[in-house]
């Protein structure tokens, strides 16, 4: 039986989104139908609306979500109706060359649901990151559902599905921040703020938040930053070096995804330090660095896919930290809104008024 539900659809590049009735099929083999309880408004959704990902319109937006499993398809094990889950957009295959080498967080063959969700007229929808969770119900691959403790708030837990996990993992998993390290985070939106929080939890001794918005810098101090740098008022590289004894930070997380901020990250790290790019650039962006500097400064230049997370490992662990009072996921929720408020939430995100708007259904 197909399900007719309300959902947020982007029909054309740059056009305002609309709330429409869509058709969601019952789960087939290997699939799960999820009743969405909450979904964060992530900048990636805006990228989709603006055509910055691809042009496979119409898009079913939303991907940073938590909810309850309503039904599962044939062959699904370890998941059943009623389970409280966080949705993830990298359901590992278990068989590709990365998985077979014991590095499933790099899985090269992640999978999504095979049946399409559609508009009422039968037009197939492209779900954002294979999820499409600005909807009352969505259809995903069963592997995109990670069971966690149902005591967690859905509005907070869902943020692990993308932005918070990406930032936290960029610091902890990709950057391997450890006790006593110095860390700089360039860009203090939701992802950067999660990197700040992750660095604090990992035991970093100095955490430098960098942004051009004083409101975000003030917020970063509440999330664990020890120092701030206003990038609009001076030389970021010089400021980070001054705060680290003239050397630069052990780990610099670039959470903006622009050539100019990447160059800042490259030169703001210590010799043999690590740069982690977690900000998502657009296709036309290029960065130019003297090859001698790349060689001479040593260390590592890394990109972080989804915080190099393994959802089955990381989501339950972070929820346990949240429920134990050690990781304040609630602090990332600026406001809760309805499906009809997503377009306004995009505007607030543009202005830097919110850390995360969360659609609650």
């Amino acid at each position: 039986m197909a399900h007719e539900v309300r959902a947020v659809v982007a029909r054309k590049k740059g056009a305002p989104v609309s709330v429409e009735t869509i058709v969601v099929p019952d789960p087939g083999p290997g699939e799960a139908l999820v009743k969405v309880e909450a979904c964060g408004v992530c900048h990636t959704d805006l990228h989709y609306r603006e055509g910055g990902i691809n042009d496979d319109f119409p898009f079913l937006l939303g991907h940073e979500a938590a909810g309850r499993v309503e039904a599962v398809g044939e062959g699904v094990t370890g998941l059943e109706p009623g389970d409280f889950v966080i949705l993830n957009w990298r359901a590992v295959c278990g068989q590709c060359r990365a998985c077979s080498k014991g590095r499933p967080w790099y899985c090269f063959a992640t999978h999504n649901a095979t049946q399409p969700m559609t508009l009422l007229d039968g037009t197939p929808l492209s779900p954002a990151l294979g999820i499409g969770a600005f909807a009352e119900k969505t259809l995903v691959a069963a592997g995109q559902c990670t069971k966690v403790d149902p005591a967690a708030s859905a509005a907070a837990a869902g943020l692990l599905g993308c932005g918070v996990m990406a930032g936290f993992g960029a610091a902890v998993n990709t950057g391997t921040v450890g006790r006593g390290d110095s860390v700089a985070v360039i860009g203090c939106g939701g992802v950067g703020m999660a990197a700040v929080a992750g660095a604090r939890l990992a035991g970093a001794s100095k955490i430098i938040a960098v942004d051009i918005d004083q409101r975000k810098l003030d917020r970063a101090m509440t999330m664990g930053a020890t120092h701030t740098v206003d990038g609009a008022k001076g030389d970021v590289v010089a400021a980070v070096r001054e705060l680290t004894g003239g050397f630069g930070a052990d780990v610099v997380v670039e959470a903006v995804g622009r050539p100019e901020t990447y160059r800042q990250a490259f030169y703001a790290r210590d010799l043999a330090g690590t740069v982690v790019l977690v900000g998502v650039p657009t296709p036309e962006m290029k960065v130019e660095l003297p090859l001698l500097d790349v060689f001479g400064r040593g260390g590592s230049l890394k990109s972080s896919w989804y915080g190099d997370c393994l959802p089955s490992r990381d989501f339950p662990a972070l929820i346990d930290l949240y429920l134990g009072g050690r990781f304040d996921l609630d602090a990332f929720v600026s406001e809760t809104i309805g499906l009809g408020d997503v377009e306004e939430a995009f505007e607030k995100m543009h202005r830097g008024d919110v850390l995360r708007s969360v659609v609650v259904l």
Side-chain angles (χ1 to χ4, degrees), residues 211-257:
D211 206 284
I212 58 174
D213 187 329
Q214 187 59 48
R215 295 170 300 173
K216 293 181 180 180
L217 295 175
D218 292 342
R219 251 186 241 136
M221 292 296 290
T222 70
M223 301 295 283
T226 59
H227 301 78
T228 62
V229 172
D230 188 335
K233 294 182 178 178
D235 185 327
V236 168
V237 173
V240 172
R241 287 185 177 177
E242 183 178 353
L243 289 167
T244 53
F247 301 118
D250 296 310
V251 179
V252 183
V253 177
E254 201 278 33
V256 181

mmCIF file of all heavy atoms in Angstrom, residues 211-257:
data_model
loop_
_atom_site.group_PDB
_atom_site.id
_atom_site.type_symbol
_atom_site.label_atom_id
_atom_site.label_comp_id
_atom_site.label_asym_id
_atom_site.label_seq_id
_atom_site.Cartn_x
_atom_site.Cartn_y
_atom_site.Cartn_z
ATOM 1 N N ASP A 211 35.866 32.852 12.928
ATOM 2 C CA ASP A 211 34.697 33.174 12.107
ATOM 3 C C ASP A 211 34.700 34.684 11.884
ATOM 4 O O ASP A 211 35.502 35.416 12.484
ATOM 5 C CB ASP A 211 33.406 32.715 12.785
ATOM 6 C CG ASP A 211 32.276 32.443 11.796
ATOM 7 O OD1 ASP A 211 31.673 33.423 11.298
ATOM 8 O OD2 ASP A 211 32.011 31.269 11.490
ATOM 9 N N ILE A 212 33.780 35.152 11.034
ATOM 10 C CA ILE A 212 33.643 36.589 10.808
ATOM 11 C C ILE A 212 32.359 37.122 11.437
ATOM 12 O O ILE A 212 32.016 38.287 11.259
ATOM 13 C CB ILE A 212 33.677 36.929 9.305
ATOM 14 C CG1 ILE A 212 32.575 36.198 8.549
ATOM 15 C CG2 ILE A 212 35.053 36.592 8.718
ATOM 16 C CD1 ILE A 212 32.468 36.604 7.085
ATOM 17 N N ASP A 213 31.652 36.264 12.168
ATOM 18 C CA ASP A 213 30.398 36.636 12.825
ATOM 19 C C ASP A 213 30.600 36.527 14.337
ATOM 20 O O ASP A 213 30.815 35.418 14.863
ATOM 21 C CB ASP A 213 29.277 35.703 12.358
ATOM 22 C CG ASP A 213 27.895 36.111 12.865
ATOM 23 O OD1 ASP A 213 27.809 36.682 13.974
ATOM 24 O OD2 ASP A 213 26.899 35.842 12.164
ATOM 25 N N GLN A 214 30.529 37.655 15.033
ATOM 26 C CA GLN A 214 30.793 37.651 16.469
ATOM 27 C C GLN A 214 29.802 36.781 17.225
ATOM 28 O O GLN A 214 30.145 36.185 18.247
ATOM 29 C CB GLN A 214 30.760 39.084 17.017
ATOM 30 C CG GLN A 214 31.193 39.202 18.470
ATOM 31 C CD GLN A 214 32.611 38.709 18.714
ATOM 32 O OE1 GLN A 214 33.540 39.066 18.001
ATOM 33 N NE2 GLN A 214 32.799 37.885 19.744
ATOM 34 N N ARG A 215 28.572 36.683 16.725
ATOM 35 C CA ARG A 215 27.580 35.833 17.394
ATOM 36 C C ARG A 215 28.029 34.376 17.405
ATOM 37 O O ARG A 215 27.865 33.668 18.406
ATOM 38 C CB ARG A 215 26.221 35.959 16.699
ATOM 39 C CG ARG A 215 25.578 37.337 16.795
ATOM 40 C CD ARG A 215 24.366 37.422 15.881
ATOM 41 N NE ARG A 215 24.716 37.187 14.491
ATOM 42 C CZ ARG A 215 23.832 37.069 13.503
ATOM 43 N NH1 ARG A 215 22.533 37.135 13.777
ATOM 44 N NH2 ARG A 215 24.226 36.869 12.262
ATOM 45 N N LYS A 216 28.600 33.937 16.298
ATOM 46 C CA LYS A 216 29.071 32.555 16.226
ATOM 47 C C LYS A 216 30.281 32.342 17.124
ATOM 48 O O LYS A 216 30.419 31.279 17.757
ATOM 49 C CB LYS A 216 29.404 32.197 14.776
ATOM 50 C CG LYS A 216 28.190 32.151 13.868
ATOM 51 C CD LYS A 216 28.581 31.770 12.449
ATOM 52 C CE LYS A 216 27.352 31.735 11.540
ATOM 53 N NZ LYS A 216 27.706 31.363 10.143
ATOM 54 N N LEU A 217 31.138 33.338 17.200
ATOM 55 C CA LEU A 217 32.299 33.227 18.086
ATOM 56 C C LEU A 217 31.870 33.156 19.544
ATOM 57 O O LEU A 217 32.427 32.383 20.331
ATOM 58 C CB LEU A 217 33.241 34.399 17.851
ATOM 59 C CG LEU A 217 33.907 34.458 16.468
ATOM 60 C CD1 LEU A 217 34.714 35.735 16.325
ATOM 61 C CD2 LEU A 217 34.794 33.233 16.234
ATOM 62 N N ASP A 218 30.869 33.942 19.904
ATOM 63 C CA ASP A 218 30.355 33.897 21.279
ATOM 64 C C ASP A 218 29.769 32.518 21.580
ATOM 65 O O ASP A 218 29.968 31.965 22.666
ATOM 66 C CB ASP A 218 29.292 34.973 21.482
ATOM 67 C CG ASP A 218 29.855 36.385 21.442
ATOM 68 O OD1 ASP A 218 31.079 36.536 21.601
ATOM 69 O OD2 ASP A 218 29.072 37.330 21.228
ATOM 70 N N ARG A 219 29.052 31.956 20.592
ATOM 71 C CA ARG A 219 28.469 30.629 20.771
ATOM 72 C C ARG A 219 29.556 29.578 20.934
ATOM 73 O O ARG A 219 29.436 28.642 21.725
ATOM 74 C CB ARG A 219 27.614 30.283 19.543
ATOM 75 C CG ARG A 219 26.114 30.283 19.802
ATOM 76 C CD ARG A 219 25.374 29.789 18.571
ATOM 77 N NE ARG A 219 24.481 30.798 18.066
ATOM 78 C CZ ARG A 219 24.336 31.121 16.802
ATOM 79 N NH1 ARG A 219 25.073 30.546 15.875
ATOM 80 N NH2 ARG A 219 23.476 32.031 16.438
ATOM 81 N N ALA A 220 30.621 29.732 20.142
ATOM 82 C CA ALA A 220 31.707 28.756 20.197
ATOM 83 C C ALA A 220 32.329 28.682 21.584
ATOM 84 O O ALA A 220 32.736 27.606 22.040
ATOM 85 C CB ALA A 220 32.776 29.102 19.154
ATOM 86 N N MET A 221 32.390 29.804 22.273
ATOM 87 C CA MET A 221 32.937 29.802 23.632
ATOM 88 C C MET A 221 32.075 28.978 24.576
ATOM 89 O O MET A 221 32.586 28.350 25.499
ATOM 90 C CB MET A 221 33.069 31.238 24.149
ATOM 91 C CG MET A 221 34.130 32.064 23.432
ATOM 92 S SD MET A 221 35.813 31.437 23.665
ATOM 93 C CE MET A 221 36.087 31.818 25.409
ATOM 94 N N THR A 222 30.780 28.939 24.331
ATOM 95 C CA THR A 222 29.897 28.131 25.185
ATOM 96 C C THR A 222 29.997 26.648 24.852
ATOM 97 O O THR A 222 29.593 25.806 25.651
ATOM 98 C CB THR A 222 28.428 28.577 25.051
ATOM 99 O OG1 THR A 222 27.931 28.213 23.756
ATOM 100 C CG2 THR A 222 28.283 30.075 25.247
ATOM 101 N N MET A 223 30.531 26.327 23.652
ATOM 102 C CA MET A 223 30.628 24.930 23.216
ATOM 103 C C MET A 223 31.996 24.325 23.493
ATOM 104 O O MET A 223 32.227 23.151 23.186
ATOM 105 C CB MET A 223 30.320 24.835 21.719
ATOM 106 C CG MET A 223 28.950 25.336 21.323
ATOM 107 S SD MET A 223 27.596 24.361 22.010
ATOM 108 C CE MET A 223 27.651 22.944 20.938
ATOM 109 N N GLY A 224 32.928 25.124 24.017
ATOM 110 C CA GLY A 224 34.224 24.561 24.373
ATOM 111 C C GLY A 224 35.432 25.286 23.842
ATOM 112 O O GLY A 224 36.568 24.917 24.163
ATOM 113 N N ALA A 225 35.249 26.318 23.006
ATOM 114 C CA ALA A 225 36.403 27.066 22.523
ATOM 115 C C ALA A 225 37.087 27.782 23.686
ATOM 116 O O ALA A 225 36.429 28.267 24.610
ATOM 117 C CB ALA A 225 35.976 28.085 21.468
ATOM 118 N N THR A 226 38.407 27.848 23.613
ATOM 119 C CA THR A 226 39.168 28.567 24.642
ATOM 120 C C THR A 226 39.565 29.960 24.171
ATOM 121 O O THR A 226 39.855 30.833 24.990
ATOM 122 C CB THR A 226 40.435 27.790 25.018
ATOM 123 O OG1 THR A 226 41.253 27.603 23.838
ATOM 124 C CG2 THR A 226 40.089 26.425 25.600
ATOM 125 N N HIS A 227 39.605 30.147 22.843
ATOM 126 C CA HIS A 227 39.968 31.433 22.260
ATOM 127 C C HIS A 227 39.156 31.636 20.987
ATOM 128 O O HIS A 227 38.682 30.671 20.376
ATOM 129 C CB HIS A 227 41.461 31.492 21.896
ATOM 130 C CG HIS A 227 42.378 31.279 23.056
ATOM 131 N ND1 HIS A 227 42.645 30.034 23.575
ATOM 132 C CD2 HIS A 227 43.103 32.163 23.799
ATOM 133 C CE1 HIS A 227 43.495 30.151 24.587
ATOM 134 N NE2 HIS A 227 43.785 31.426 24.741
ATOM 135 N N THR A 228 39.017 32.889 20.562
ATOM 136 C CA THR A 228 38.331 33.184 19.306
ATOM 137 C C THR A 228 39.178 34.140 18.470
ATOM 138 O O THR A 228 39.966 34.924 19.009
ATOM 139 C CB THR A 228 36.943 33.812 19.536
ATOM 140 O OG1 THR A 228 37.090 35.068 20.212
ATOM 141 C CG2 THR A 228 36.050 32.883 20.346
ATOM 142 N N VAL A 229 38.977 34.063 17.157
ATOM 143 C CA VAL A 229 39.631 34.967 16.217
ATOM 144 C C VAL A 229 38.568 35.484 15.260
ATOM 145 O O VAL A 229 37.883 34.683 14.604
ATOM 146 C CB VAL A 229 40.749 34.262 15.427
ATOM 147 C CG1 VAL A 229 41.278 35.176 14.317
ATOM 148 C CG2 VAL A 229 41.876 33.836 16.357
ATOM 149 N N ASP A 230 38.426 36.784 15.181
ATOM 150 C CA ASP A 230 37.500 37.404 14.241
ATOM 151 C C ASP A 230 38.217 37.587 12.906
ATOM 152 O O ASP A 230 39.077 38.456 12.771
ATOM 153 C CB ASP A 230 37.002 38.744 14.783
ATOM 154 C CG ASP A 230 35.892 39.346 13.930
ATOM 155 O OD1 ASP A 230 35.817 39.021 12.735
ATOM 156 O OD2 ASP A 230 35.101 40.149 14.472
ATOM 157 N N GLY A 231 37.860 36.756 11.927
ATOM 158 C CA GLY A 231 38.533 36.783 10.640
ATOM 159 C C GLY A 231 38.289 38.041 9.844
ATOM 160 O O GLY A 231 38.993 38.300 8.860
ATOM 161 N N ALA A 232 37.299 38.836 10.253
ATOM 162 C CA ALA A 232 37.023 40.093 9.551
ATOM 163 C C ALA A 232 37.907 41.228 10.045
ATOM 164 O O ALA A 232 37.915 42.307 9.449
ATOM 165 C CB ALA A 232 35.549 40.462 9.732
ATOM 166 N N LYS A 233 38.645 41.000 11.108
ATOM 167 C CA LYS A 233 39.390 42.094 11.730
ATOM 168 C C LYS A 233 40.904 41.935 11.689
ATOM 169 O O LYS A 233 41.616 42.733 12.298
ATOM 170 C CB LYS A 233 38.939 42.258 13.179
ATOM 171 C CG LYS A 233 37.483 42.711 13.324
ATOM 172 C CD LYS A 233 37.109 42.903 14.772
ATOM 173 C CE LYS A 233 35.677 43.407 14.922
ATOM 174 N NZ LYS A 233 35.294 43.561 16.346
ATOM 175 N N GLY A 234 41.398 40.911 11.036
ATOM 176 C CA GLY A 234 42.844 40.758 11.023
ATOM 177 C C GLY A 234 43.279 39.502 10.313
ATOM 178 O O GLY A 234 42.489 38.787 9.696
ATOM 179 N N ASP A 235 44.563 39.230 10.402
ATOM 180 C CA ASP A 235 45.198 38.098 9.746
ATOM 181 C C ASP A 235 44.945 36.834 10.573
ATOM 182 O O ASP A 235 45.462 36.688 11.687
ATOM 183 C CB ASP A 235 46.696 38.372 9.620
ATOM 184 C CG ASP A 235 47.441 37.314 8.840
ATOM 185 O OD1 ASP A 235 47.061 36.131 8.901
ATOM 186 O OD2 ASP A 235 48.424 37.670 8.162
ATOM 187 N N VAL A 236 44.157 35.912 10.022
ATOM 188 C CA VAL A 236 43.794 34.692 10.757
ATOM 189 C C VAL A 236 45.018 33.844 11.053
ATOM 190 O O VAL A 236 45.193 33.342 12.174
ATOM 191 C CB VAL A 236 42.752 33.879 9.953
ATOM 192 C CG1 VAL A 236 42.578 32.479 10.542
ATOM 193 C CG2 VAL A 236 41.407 34.603 9.933
ATOM 194 N N VAL A 237 45.872 33.670 10.069
ATOM 195 C CA VAL A 237 47.054 32.829 10.257
ATOM 196 C C VAL A 237 47.944 33.390 11.360
ATOM 197 O O VAL A 237 48.383 32.662 12.262
ATOM 198 C CB VAL A 237 47.841 32.694 8.937
ATOM 199 C CG1 VAL A 237 49.157 31.954 9.172
ATOM 200 C CG2 VAL A 237 47.002 31.972 7.896
ATOM 201 N N ALA A 238 48.187 34.688 11.331
ATOM 202 C CA ALA A 238 49.024 35.314 12.355
ATOM 203 C C ALA A 238 48.398 35.179 13.733
ATOM 204 O O ALA A 238 49.093 34.919 14.731
ATOM 205 C CB ALA A 238 49.239 36.793 12.018
ATOM 206 N N ALA A 239 47.081 35.331 13.800
ATOM 207 C CA ALA A 239 46.399 35.240 15.094
ATOM 208 C C ALA A 239 46.482 33.836 15.667
ATOM 209 O O ALA A 239 46.732 33.649 16.873
ATOM 210 C CB ALA A 239 44.939 35.667 14.933
ATOM 211 N N VAL A 240 46.273 32.815 14.827
ATOM 212 C CA VAL A 240 46.353 31.438 15.308
ATOM 213 C C VAL A 240 47.773 31.110 15.755
ATOM 214 O O VAL A 240 47.990 30.478 16.796
ATOM 215 C CB VAL A 240 45.872 30.451 14.223
ATOM 216 C CG1 VAL A 240 46.145 29.001 14.641
ATOM 217 C CG2 VAL A 240 44.383 30.638 13.944
ATOM 218 N N ARG A 241 48.744 31.562 15.006
ATOM 219 C CA ARG A 241 50.134 31.305 15.392
ATOM 220 C C ARG A 241 50.485 32.005 16.706
ATOM 221 O O ARG A 241 51.166 31.427 17.562
ATOM 222 C CB ARG A 241 51.072 31.771 14.286
ATOM 223 C CG ARG A 241 51.062 30.870 13.063
ATOM 224 C CD ARG A 241 52.103 31.307 12.050
ATOM 225 N NE ARG A 241 52.143 30.407 10.900
ATOM 226 C CZ ARG A 241 52.918 30.586 9.845
ATOM 227 N NH1 ARG A 241 53.742 31.636 9.790
ATOM 228 N NH2 ARG A 241 52.901 29.734 8.833
ATOM 229 N N GLU A 242 49.999 33.222 16.859
ATOM 230 C CA GLU A 242 50.280 33.942 18.107
ATOM 231 C C GLU A 242 49.705 33.198 19.304
ATOM 232 O O GLU A 242 50.314 33.167 20.382
ATOM 233 C CB GLU A 242 49.691 35.347 18.018
ATOM 234 C CG GLU A 242 49.993 36.201 19.251
ATOM 235 C CD GLU A 242 49.443 37.610 19.142
ATOM 236 O OE1 GLU A 242 48.934 37.976 18.055
ATOM 237 O OE2 GLU A 242 49.514 38.345 20.148
ATOM 238 N N LEU A 243 48.545 32.585 19.124
ATOM 239 C CA LEU A 243 47.888 31.867 20.219
ATOM 240 C C LEU A 243 48.508 30.499 20.474
ATOM 241 O O LEU A 243 48.164 29.835 21.457
ATOM 242 C CB LEU A 243 46.394 31.700 19.925
ATOM 243 C CG LEU A 243 45.565 32.988 19.998
ATOM 244 C CD1 LEU A 243 44.185 32.771 19.381
ATOM 245 C CD2 LEU A 243 45.432 33.448 21.452
ATOM 246 N N THR A 244 49.402 30.066 19.587
ATOM 247 C CA THR A 244 50.020 28.743 19.739
ATOM 248 C C THR A 244 51.545 28.848 19.813
ATOM 249 O O THR A 244 52.266 28.003 19.277
ATOM 250 C CB THR A 244 49.608 27.816 18.568
ATOM 251 O OG1 THR A 244 49.897 28.486 17.320
ATOM 252 C CG2 THR A 244 48.137 27.476 18.626
ATOM 253 N N GLY A 245 52.015 29.890 20.453
ATOM 254 C CA GLY A 245 53.455 30.041 20.670
ATOM 255 C C GLY A 245 54.239 30.323 19.422
ATOM 256 O O GLY A 245 55.458 30.095 19.381
ATOM 257 N N GLY A 246 53.559 30.797 18.369
ATOM 258 C CA GLY A 246 54.233 31.104 17.120
ATOM 259 C C GLY A 246 54.312 29.940 16.151
ATOM 260 O O GLY A 246 54.826 30.085 15.037
ATOM 261 N N PHE A 247 53.786 28.781 16.552
ATOM 262 C CA PHE A 247 53.963 27.575 15.746
ATOM 263 C C PHE A 247 52.796 27.256 14.809
ATOM 264 O O PHE A 247 52.988 26.732 13.719
ATOM 265 C CB PHE A 247 54.191 26.364 16.663
ATOM 266 C CG PHE A 247 55.380 26.501 17.561
ATOM 267 C CD1 PHE A 247 55.228 26.510 18.936
ATOM 268 C CD2 PHE A 247 56.658 26.633 17.026
ATOM 269 C CE1 PHE A 247 56.334 26.642 19.771
ATOM 270 C CE2 PHE A 247 57.757 26.762 17.843
ATOM 271 C CZ PHE A 247 57.603 26.770 19.225
ATOM 272 N N GLY A 248 51.590 27.501 15.233
ATOM 273 C CA GLY A 248 50.409 27.037 14.517
ATOM 274 C C GLY A 248 49.773 25.878 15.263
ATOM 275 O O GLY A 248 50.369 25.277 16.169
ATOM 276 N N ALA A 249 48.539 25.555 14.912
ATOM 277 C CA ALA A 249 47.789 24.523 15.627
ATOM 278 C C ALA A 249 48.178 23.124 15.158
ATOM 279 O O ALA A 249 48.567 22.918 14.004
ATOM 280 C CB ALA A 249 46.294 24.744 15.420
ATOM 281 N N ASP A 250 48.045 22.167 16.050
ATOM 282 C CA ASP A 250 48.308 20.769 15.681
ATOM 283 C C ASP A 250 47.312 20.282 14.636
ATOM 284 O O ASP A 250 47.671 19.547 13.718
ATOM 285 C CB ASP A 250 48.219 19.864 16.915
ATOM 286 C CG ASP A 250 49.286 20.182 17.943
ATOM 287 O OD1 ASP A 250 50.472 20.259 17.562
ATOM 288 O OD2 ASP A 250 48.936 20.367 19.122
ATOM 289 N N VAL A 251 46.057 20.685 14.806
ATOM 290 C CA VAL A 251 44.994 20.291 13.876
ATOM 291 C C VAL A 251 44.179 21.528 13.533
ATOM 292 O O VAL A 251 43.782 22.281 14.429
ATOM 293 C CB VAL A 251 44.059 19.217 14.480
ATOM 294 C CG1 VAL A 251 42.957 18.843 13.490
ATOM 295 C CG2 VAL A 251 44.848 17.975 14.891
ATOM 296 N N VAL A 252 43.941 21.757 12.233
ATOM 297 C CA VAL A 252 43.065 22.837 11.798
ATOM 298 C C VAL A 252 41.915 22.225 11.005
ATOM 299 O O VAL A 252 42.141 21.538 10.007
ATOM 300 C CB VAL A 252 43.801 23.879 10.933
ATOM 301 C CG1 VAL A 252 42.848 25.015 10.570
ATOM 302 C CG2 VAL A 252 45.022 24.419 11.658
ATOM 303 N N VAL A 253 40.705 22.474 11.465
ATOM 304 C CA VAL A 253 39.516 21.988 10.773
ATOM 305 C C VAL A 253 38.933 23.135 9.960
ATOM 306 O O VAL A 253 38.587 24.181 10.512
ATOM 307 C CB VAL A 253 38.462 21.460 11.780
ATOM 308 C CG1 VAL A 253 37.197 21.027 11.038
ATOM 309 C CG2 VAL A 253 39.036 20.305 12.597
ATOM 310 N N GLU A 254 38.837 22.938 8.650
ATOM 311 C CA GLU A 254 38.270 23.939 7.755
ATOM 312 C C GLU A 254 36.825 23.549 7.485
ATOM 313 O O GLU A 254 36.547 22.566 6.792
ATOM 314 C CB GLU A 254 39.085 24.002 6.448
ATOM 315 C CG GLU A 254 38.928 25.309 5.681
ATOM 316 C CD GLU A 254 37.692 25.400 4.816
ATOM 317 O OE1 GLU A 254 36.662 24.830 5.185
ATOM 318 O OE2 GLU A 254 37.747 26.046 3.767
ATOM 319 N N ALA A 255 35.895 24.315 8.052
ATOM 320 C CA ALA A 255 34.474 23.968 7.970
ATOM 321 C C ALA A 255 33.691 24.964 7.115
ATOM 322 O O ALA A 255 32.490 25.140 7.305
ATOM 323 C CB ALA A 255 33.873 23.896 9.376
ATOM 324 N N VAL A 256 34.384 25.606 6.180
ATOM 325 C CA VAL A 256 33.743 26.580 5.287
ATOM 326 C C VAL A 256 33.655 26.036 3.861
ATOM 327 O O VAL A 256 32.611 26.091 3.214
ATOM 328 C CB VAL A 256 34.497 27.926 5.283
ATOM 329 C CG1 VAL A 256 33.794 28.931 4.374
ATOM 330 C CG2 VAL A 256 34.614 28.477 6.700
ATOM 331 N N GLY A 257 34.782 25.512 3.368
ATOM 332 C CA GLY A 257 34.804 24.970 2.025
ATOM 333 C C GLY A 257 35.059 26.013 0.954
ATOM 334 O O GLY A 257 34.452 25.980 -0.110
#
